[in-house]
Amino acid sequence: MGGTRVLPGRTDHVVVIGAGLAGLSAALHLAGAGREVTVLEAAAVPGGRVRRERMGAYTVDTGATVLTMPELVEEALAAVGASLDLDLVPLDPAYRAHFADGSTIHVHTAAEAMAEEVRRVAGPREAAGYLRLRAWLTELYRVQRDRFIGANLDSPFDLLSPELARLAALGGFGRLGPAVARYLSDERLRRLFTFQSLYAGVAPSRALAAYAVIAYMDTVAGVYFPRGSTGGRAGGVGAVAERMAEAAGRAGVRFRYSTSAAWLERVGSRVRAVRTTGGERVPCDAVVVTADLPAAYGLLGVSPWRPLRVRYSPSAVVLHTGVTRSWDALAHHTISFGAAWERTFDEVTRRGSLMGDPSLLITRPTATDPGMAPAGGQQVSVLAPVPNLRTGPIDWPRIGPIYRDELLRVLERRGLSGFSDAVEVERLITPADWAAAGLAEGTPFSVAHTFTQTGPFRPRNLVPGVDNVVLAGCGTTPGVGIPPVLVSGRLAALRVTGSNGVGAAGRRRSVSGL
């Protein structure tokens, strides 16, 4: 990465806008490299899209619930000599999948355990295919990790490397669905290793096979959950953000909560200060902006040219509930598949309609951390993919409560009898709520991972015409999901410091890039 562009001029004091995982990662890496850092966060607490909130007596992760590659969190913390200090529980199974034909598959991350599960449900030929698929996923990840995911890319020519040839030889530029089908013939198993592409904004039949690395993170590297302490602190993915903020604070990073950026004061090509909605002026030498792309560009008053309009991923309706009973069918993460498959993707990504036969992600964190609910209660969240507001301009204030009732009926039809009556507290989040929070087109999954929005073609973390601003977060390099967002913070810090993991005290990164 010797030719990677670095911000010119002084970068002694950096203002980071946003205390989500991207901003926290950037702040930690910057502090470790000796920069003075101030973080401005509109909310009263850190976390951004993984913020924890209270819902009556229940603790709720308001965003991502699937934590993979926790070593990237440790890497950011190690920049300031800290560690995560949370009880990270490996989930086994990572998922429990229920299918419309009544069958169930447990997704294990250990090779032999999963091969045995595949053998049980689909026979020895499929088990052998799974092991070959696993080897392919592992090699795909190894090839992409440092060159394509963990590096700043300034030009498509930056991809020209032996890794590019290897990625092509692995079939990474083909389509995800057919690539997985080379190894597995059972339709249920194919779903388990391709459904993740929806959260990258593309149906498996159209997604690049290179995005099978998301399945690698889930099904090979493993899914973890931060369990609360015996001292009474509840766990959850939001606890990771809180620990990162605490470590950054101890390292000298200043946090300004309940403080929103209004605009960036620019003189020529350099930003001199961040202006807040409260009228304050915060001088700076450089800025890392983690807001969604339109909001980030709005702060700067710029609109970078692209030959094609930016396409955004589908959105989601999430129903958080506190319930007074439990169901044996629910693991920590349960995927409830409908019978429809290709039609489902077409509805969400092209037609702009709600799923006629929905596939749902159901999360019950109290399966691992009972402290997130009161005695006798369970915290259960249901995520249903839906169109973003551009693809499907649905009247969510009116349709939301109706869809909530439909989701509960689906859950009850699929075995969670009595669910509706067991709900004592709840919170419904729709694309209208995501939009009100400043997320473009009402989606928390940001810019879709189409071919023209991948790698060096994705909106870059440098802004044309502005010398000292870097972007981070899921809208820029490398993309959507907790691991890429953490990497984006590190990549933003590298744009500022020009160093590749050596902090002020000579500390070296403990873990290589994603």
Side-chain angles (χ1 to χ4, degrees), residues 56-302:
Y58 296 83
T59 300
V60 178
D61 274 322
T62 60
T65 62
V66 178
L67 176 62
T68 59
M69 312 298 289
E71 60 266 32
L72 292 170
V73 179
E74 292 286 8
E75 175 192 60
L77 291 165
V80 297
S83 61
L84 184 55
D85 192 27
L86 278 173
D87 182 13
L88 285 182
V89 180
L91 299 183
D92 188 23
Y95 301 97
R96 180 184 294 166
H98 295 304
F99 296 88
D101 64 1
S103 61
T104 297
I105 299 177
H106 296 83
V107 179
H108 303 284
T109 53
E112 286 307 314
M114 188 59 192
E116 181 56 36
E117 178 71 356
V118 173
R119 190 176 295 112
R120 178 186 70 82
V121 299
R125 178 174 294 183
E126 290 295 278
Y130 157 73
L131 290 173
R132 293 195 302 274
L133 172 65
R134 183 185 178 95
W136 178 71
L137 292 173
T138 302
E139 180 64 8
L140 200 66
Y141 166 74
R142 188 192 68 77
V143 168
Q144 293 187 75
R145 181 186 62 198
D146 295 326
R147 171 66 65 173
F148 301 104
I149 301 174
N152 279 309
L153 300 173
D154 292 318
S155 161
F157 295 108
D158 290 343
L159 295 178
L160 298 178
S161 65
E163 289 89 350
L164 181 67
R166 181 61 183 152
L167 181 60
L170 287 168
F173 298 108
R175 299 301 174 188
L176 176 60
V180 171
R182 291 200 303 266
Y183 301 95
L184 300 170
S185 60
D186 188 289
E187 177 64 25
R188 298 167 300 173
L189 295 171
R190 291 180 182 180
R191 291 188 185 191
L192 286 176
F193 291 95
T194 61
F195 80 90
Q196 299 90 345
S197 73
L198 182 59
Y199 304 114
V202 188
S205 61
R206 293 184 288 120
L208 287 176
Y211 283 110
V213 293
I214 307 175
Y216 167 87
M217 294 174 191
D218 280 3
T219 67
V220 178
V223 177
Y224 295 81
F225 187 76
R227 186 161 53 193
S229 66
T230 55
R233 294 184 71 175
V237 177
V240 172
E242 292 170 12
R243 297 300 192 279
M244 293 175 73
E246 290 168 3
R250 290 194 298 270
V253 174
R254 294 189 298 273
F255 285 87
R256 301 281 306 279
Y257 294 111
S258 302
T259 303
S260 298
W263 53 285
L264 303 184
E265 179 187 302
R266 184 151 53 106
V267 177
S269 62
R270 292 190 71 84
V271 170
R272 302 296 184 185
V274 178
R275 295 283 190 161
T276 73
T277 54
E280 185 180 1
R281 182 179 186 272
V282 184
C284 59
D285 298 313
V287 185
V288 175
V289 183
T290 70
D292 223 25
L293 282 180
Y297 294 148
L299 288 172
L300 275 164
V302 300

Side-chain angles (χ1 to χ4, degrees), residues 412-424:
E412 298 213 8
R413 286 198 303 267
R414 296 182 183 178
L416 304 186
S417 59
F419 194 97
S420 297
D421 292 337
V423 175
E424 63 173 353

